[in-house]
Amino acid sequence: MTKIIVDDKEIDVPAEYTLLQACEEAGAEIPRFCFHERLSIAGNCRMCLIEVKGGPPKPAASCAMAVRDLRPGPNGEPPQVFTNTPMVKKAREGVMEFLLINHPLDCPICDQGGECDLQDQAMGYGIDTSRYHENKRAVEDKYIGPLVKTSMNRCIHCTRCVRFTAEVAGTGDMGATGRGEDMEITTYLETAMTSELQGNIADLCPVGALLPKPQNFRARPWEMQKTEGIDVMDALGSNIRIDTRGREVMRILPRVNDAVNEEWISDKTRQIVDGLKTQRLDRPYVRESGKLRAASWQEAFAVVASKVKASSPEKIGAIAGDLATVEEMFSLKLLMDKLGSKNIDCRQDGTKLDPRNGRASYLFNSTIAGIDEADCLLIVGSNPRKEAPVLNARIRKRWLKGSFMIGVIGEKSDLTYEYQYMGAGAETLTSSATKPPEGAKKPMLVIGQGALVRADGAALLAAAAKVSRAAGGADGWNGFNVLHTAASRVGGLDIGFVPGEGGLDVAAMAKGGVDILFNLGADEIEIAPGAFVVYLGTHGDKGAHRADVILPGAAYTEKSGTYVNMEGRVQMSPRAAFPPGDAREDWAILRALSGVLGQALPFDSLMQLRKALYEAVPHMARVDRIEAGDVTDIAKLAAAGGAPTSAPFKNAIEDFYLTNPIARASAVMAECSALANGRMQQAAE
């Protein structure tokens, strides 16, 4: 630590801190446009000027000078900097005056109004007149894709967007052309950006040059109510903020959580907003003569009750989808227990993960933040760029630091970082090629659903555990990791939403093994004709088309629920809006249905439901904490053995933008999908 005096206040800070960070540590507010904690230093905007005692007789850019660069006083006194002297104020006012020379000053029609950094800083350092009478610089707006709208007259050349796409996203989509007054920020040949994280540049832009295109001219920031929530578009559990106006979700933004998503979210997380209100189920339906007709709740429940009473317990089953909360899965499991059925499953893709193998057998044990400490990485049967884009950016961040060898077994893909391609299938996984480099103390193995959903998935899981065990690692380090694609999967496995002794799994139930099937939002499976399907879901997707009775539920923004992310972190998401029409929260539907079935569940409120959940699964009460798995579970899993086939691995996700019913209902996601497929066809040709 180094002593430094900021505005007569002495503090201790690391020597590698920039002066901007040191000043903020001392409580001083430093204006900035180009500086960002997670991007490289550019020193473009010069707004962060401060005065350094004993330095040059001119202001210094605090973002581009480190604490270690300062000289002590003549008698060894700590270096001094000042953030509010007349020289500093005059310098910042001069920079602001230059920034506003060419800025269009169209705040009344700018979507950034109300949360614009330039607007805020102009209040402190701007003046109400201009000394310049020349024409303002005009720049043509650019097309950079369906997610980000450009208004390049407002651009102040901070290059945050350029640095983000180059450093974090890894695609290098954005760049600058020209010099001086002719400099323009654009994509190559004005094509659409290719990154799955491109929407983050709209958050980074300190002015209104880059804005979310789907939300263009829809609402002002002060009109919206902000709710902190959890994302369910993948299994990462990204922390988000849901902004609503009235009953409608207007936009979704990231929240900072360094342990999970830092401050990034994927484009699917951000822009499925229109899918939340399209093709929604807002009333119960009953199928008569092959056609669905609207019905009352009582009528729908009566139809379900008559079917259940006419069936035997072994012919009743339940499947939970990828977006379900822990509470509603727990409610459905209790209902199946009361009905005497053991036919339950939360693994609609058929993955061979099983809670009987121990919690460590299905967690991302190294944790997401643990990627920063890893020495090497082996990816098996997965494409993290499509399955968890923010996690992929974290892997890239670790790769950029150096001394991080990455190997891939499975399909070749552009992962935004260099890797060693080792092979296509299981024969590579079981060979000696998977040995980590010499001296690796924290090796990681990540196995994806592309390997685990196969018929030989259990054998592959055991083989991966064996490789992870052989790689070793430091004390307390568990390098075995499962990359999930479903937000509900870990929570479902935690509460035991899998077939009981003699129970049927998803495949058996879907092929006709049951007469009555409760479908809790599982829209990615084909259910054979014959079974009577009761669908609890939100959208008119595949599950609703196959249903005999539809009970409309609430989307993830419309209910309070618990989710467990891939590393085992329990997170709670409150309700931000209300479901449309007669739709209700899924746990409440199941509680009401249980009463009609004569098997009333032991709770009447969400609080009582959670109390029962916490008694059954205690770690669910420890919100924002990770209940680590037992490392001995990996040894038991490795000993399970099995003979995997030689077929090559196939990635679990082919189309990143259309993986769930909300995304498939979104016109924005459909446009993104069409662009991505077009690029793939061009590359194939």
Side-chain angles (χ1 to χ4, degrees):
M1 302 292 278
T2 304
K3 288 190 182 300
I4 181 175
I5 299 175
V6 179
D7 294 336
D8 300 324
K9 179 180 179 181
E10 186 176 300
I11 58 169
D12 285 325
V13 293
E16 62 272 14
Y17 263 32
T18 64
L19 293 185
L20 188 151
Q21 291 170 310
C23 291
E24 292 201 328
E25 194 73 18
E29 184 176 345
I30 306 296
R32 89 291 298 272
F33 294 117
C34 68
F35 177 81
H36 193 277
E37 288 81 357
R38 303 187 197 277
L39 303 176
S40 61
I41 294 170
N44 292 341
C45 72
R46 321 306 287 182
M47 194 66 204
C48 63
L49 297 173
I50 61 172
E51 184 179 348
V52 179
K53 185 175 182 180
K58 61 179 182 179
S62 60
C63 71
M65 183 179 288
V67 171
R68 62 161 58 96
D69 297 331
L70 297 179
R71 295 180 301 174
N75 300 314
E77 303 96 335
Q80 287 193 58
V81 299
F82 303 96
T83 67
N84 53 12
T85 62
M87 182 177 81
V88 170
K89 190 171 189 302
K90 184 177 180 181
R92 291 176 182 172
E93 288 173 350
V95 171
M96 178 59 67
E97 189 174 9
F98 273 114
L99 287 175
L100 296 179
I101 289 173
N102 287 310
H103 196 77
L105 303 178
D106 54 355
C107 303
I109 62 163
C110 177
D111 271 342
Q112 195 87 343
E115 51 188 12
C116 173
D117 292 350
L118 183 63
Q119 207 173 42
D120 294 342
Q121 301 304 336
M123 292 298 293
Y125 302 101
I127 54 177
D128 59 355
T129 58
S130 175
R131 293 181 286 173
Y132 295 86
H133 303 287
E134 292 80 4
N135 292 331
K136 288 181 181 286
R137 187 176 73 109
V139 183
E140 186 178 347
D141 293 342
K142 310 293 191 297
Y143 171 78
I144 60 175
L147 300 182
V148 181
K149 172 182 178 288
T150 61
S151 183
M152 303 313 292
N153 282 335
R154 303 168 185 158
C155 181
I156 61 171
H157 300 163
C158 70
T159 68
R160 280 186 181 181
C161 55
V162 176
R163 285 174 284 151
F164 174 83
T165 57
E167 297 164 15
V168 179
T171 55
D173 288 323
M174 302 288 286
T177 62
R179 298 181 66 187
E181 191 180 52
D182 297 324
M183 179 177 172
E184 297 182 15
I185 303 294
T186 181
T187 57
Y188 182 67
L189 298 180
E190 295 190 29
T191 53
M193 289 187 285
T194 58
S195 172
E196 294 79 13
L197 299 169
Q198 60 185 271
N200 290 287
I201 66 173
D203 293 340
L204 289 172
C205 185
V207 294
L210 301 174
L211 295 163
K213 187 179 284 187
Q215 280 84 45
N216 192 29
F217 299 137
R218 293 193 64 207
R220 287 296 196 179
W222 56 83
E223 298 175 338
M224 295 184 278
Q225 183 175 345
K226 286 81 173 173
T227 307
E228 296 183 349
I230 302 298
D231 172 51
V232 298
M233 293 297 112
D234 56 35
L236 189 72
S238 297
N239 287 213
I240 58 175
R241 195 186 84 194
I242 305 164
D243 288 0
T244 57
R245 185 175 64 182
R247 298 177 65 95
E248 184 179 358
V249 175
M250 303 303 294
R251 64 177 181 179
I252 293 173
L253 298 174
R255 283 190 292 129
V256 178
N257 188 331
D258 288 330
V260 182
N261 60 308
E262 297 184 298
E263 60 183 273
W264 318 123
I265 54 174
S266 73
D267 294 333
K268 185 165 56 176
T269 298
R270 183 185 300 271
Q271 297 296 3
I272 48 82
V273 172
D274 62 321
L276 287 168
K277 63 179 182 179
T278 308
Q279 296 184 0
R280 287 299 303 269
L281 301 172
D282 60 356
R283 67 190 69 182
Y285 287 88
V286 173
R287 189 176 297 276
E288 285 185 357
S289 304
K291 293 184 179 181
L292 289 168
R293 67 165 180 84
S296 65
W297 281 104
Q298 292 79 6
E299 190 177 359
F301 285 163
V303 172
V304 175
S306 65
K307 291 289 183 180
V308 169
K309 289 172 183 175
S311 180
S312 57
E314 62 272 12
K315 286 296 184 179
I316 301 174
I319 300 173
D322 293 346
L323 309 183
T325 66
V326 173
E327 287 87 351
E328 59 207 45
M329 287 189 288
F330 184 70
S331 301
L332 185 55
K333 182 176 184 291
L334 288 181
L335 180 58
M336 291 297 106
D337 288 343
K338 282 184 169 289
L339 293 175
S341 173
K342 297 180 180 179
N343 306 321
I344 59 173
D345 208 341
C346 65
R347 306 164 298 182
Q348 67 165 323
D349 56 4
T351 184
K352 301 306 182 287
L353 299 170
D354 196 318
R356 297 177 186 88
N357 294 326
R359 198 164 189 255
S361 69
Y362 58 83
L363 289 184
F364 200 92
N365 293 288
S366 302
T367 72
I368 296 163
I371 294 172
D372 300 339
E373 307 171 23
D375 299 318
C376 59
L377 171 63
L378 177 63
I379 300 173
V380 180
S382 175
N383 180 348
R385 181 173 174 182
K386 288 187 176 180
E387 295 170 22
V390 178
L391 180 79
N392 194 63
R394 193 125 193 180
I395 295 173
R396 174 179 166 78
K397 175 185 170 184
R398 173 62 187 89
W399 172 76
L400 286 173
K401 291 180 181 177
S403 302
F404 189 58
M405 193 189 83
I406 302 174
V408 171
I409 302 175
E411 289 187 47
K412 283 186 177 180
S413 308
D414 178 9
L415 298 179
T416 72
Y417 41 79
E418 294 177 3
Y419 59 83
Q420 178 184 346
Y421 184 69
M422 305 176 71
E427 66 280 356
T428 308
L429 179 62
T430 54
S431 71
S432 59
T434 56
K435 189 176 179 181
E438 231 20 80
K441 295 182 179 179
K442 293 187 176 181
M444 282 183 66
L445 180 145
V446 173
I447 184 167
Q449 302 307 309
L452 300 178
V453 298
R454 302 178 0 158
D456 59 346
L460 287 167
L461 186 67
K466 190 174 181 180
V467 170
S468 181
R469 285 274 298 163
D475 288 342
W477 177 259
N478 188 344
F480 180 79
N481 303 284
V482 177
L483 179 54
H484 292 272
T485 56
S488 66
R489 188 64 45 79
V490 174
L493 294 172
D494 276 353
I495 65 171
F497 203 97
V498 292
E501 193 68 35
L504 303 179
D505 62 7
V506 161
M509 286 188 277
K511 288 177 181 176
V514 294
D515 293 336
I516 300 174
L517 181 60
F518 289 89
N519 182 346
L520 183 61
D523 289 273
E524 283 70 50
I525 57 171
E526 295 284 349
I527 301 174
F532 182 86
V533 179
V534 181
Y535 178 73
L536 288 83
T538 59
H539 287 72
D541 207 275
K542 186 184 293 184
H545 293 164
R546 173 62 186 84
D548 294 288
V549 172
I550 295 175
L551 305 177
Y556 73 103
T557 58
E558 300 159 0
K559 58 188 173 187
S560 179
T562 302
Y563 300 94
V564 186
N565 75 348
M566 65 173 73
E567 62 181 345
R569 184 184 300 273
V570 179
Q571 300 187 107
M572 196 171 289
S573 184
R575 181 173 60 193
F578 289 90
D582 291 335
R584 296 292 182 268
E585 295 186 38
D586 301 68
W587 72 265
I589 296 173
L590 290 166
R591 170 62 185 87
L593 177 60
S594 69
V596 177
L597 294 175
Q599 302 288 347
L601 296 176
F603 52 81
D604 294 311
S605 67
L606 184 59
M607 188 176 295
Q608 292 175 356
L609 166 56
R610 283 179 174 157
K611 183 180 178 182
L613 171 64
Y614 299 158
E615 289 174 356
V617 190
H619 74 261
M620 288 294 173
R622 295 188 274 276
V623 178
D624 204 33
R625 285 177 54 187
I626 299 173
E627 190 79 12
D630 189 344
V631 71
T632 59
D633 293 339
I634 308 303
K636 296 174 186 174
L637 190 62
T645 65
S646 59
F649 296 136
K650 187 177 179 183
N651 292 334
I653 294 178
E654 294 182 1
D655 193 332
F656 164 72
Y657 296 101
L658 304 177
T659 56
N660 59 63
I662 302 176
R664 287 190 289 270
S666 168
V668 177
M669 291 296 99
E671 186 177 355
C672 291
S673 173
L675 276 171
N677 291 334
R679 283 194 296 267
M680 289 174 61
Q681 290 176 2
Q682 287 178 358
E685 293 170 359

